[in-house]
Amino acid sequence: MSQICVKAMIRGMVQGVGFRFHTAHEGLKFGLTGYAKNLPDGSVEVLACGEEAKVEQLLQWLQDGPKTSRVDTVEAEEVTWRHVDGFEIM
């Protein structure tokens, strides 16, 4: 049961559609910590930390996102582990 942190960049119609709210909800549902943050270029950055299998489940969910969004691409990379409290919407 290894712990990892993954940073993902999600592009598409992902701002103004509740994407960050739904991502935080899914992250908490999977027992993860991290954040979802809008970026100036219209994309969303997600940091997800926790059990590797659960992080993978969130990454799979991000491929489609909530029904209100349109995801074109998800680029994810593993980053150095860090402790984060909760799942923040930034």
Side-chain angles (χ1 to χ4, degrees):
M1 200 165 64
S2 62
Q3 302 283 314
I4 64 168
C5 282
V6 170
K7 187 179 284 187
M9 300 292 290
I10 300 92
R11 291 184 174 77
M13 192 179 75
V14 293
Q15 288 191 12
V17 293
F19 195 91
R20 292 174 302 154
F21 172 82
H22 288 287
T23 299
H25 177 78
E26 290 296 313
L28 290 171
K29 193 168 87 176
F30 292 130
L32 303 174
T33 61
Y35 63 76
K37 163 169 87 170
N38 281 345
L39 297 179
D41 68 358
S43 64
V44 171
E45 177 182 289
V46 173
L47 176 73
C49 299
E51 188 183 322
E52 187 172 5
K54 300 295 185 181
V55 171
E56 291 297 328
Q57 284 182 287
L58 181 65
L59 288 174
Q60 190 62 44
W61 179 85
L62 287 171
Q63 296 294 325
D64 295 317
K67 291 181 173 77
T68 52
S69 70
R70 185 196 77 240
V71 175
D72 293 337
T73 62
V74 177
E75 298 170 14
E77 65 175 333
E78 192 168 336
V79 296
T80 305
W81 171 263
R82 64 178 113 162
H83 175 76
V84 184
D85 288 324
F87 210 105
E88 192 176 355
I89 299 170
M90 302 172 76

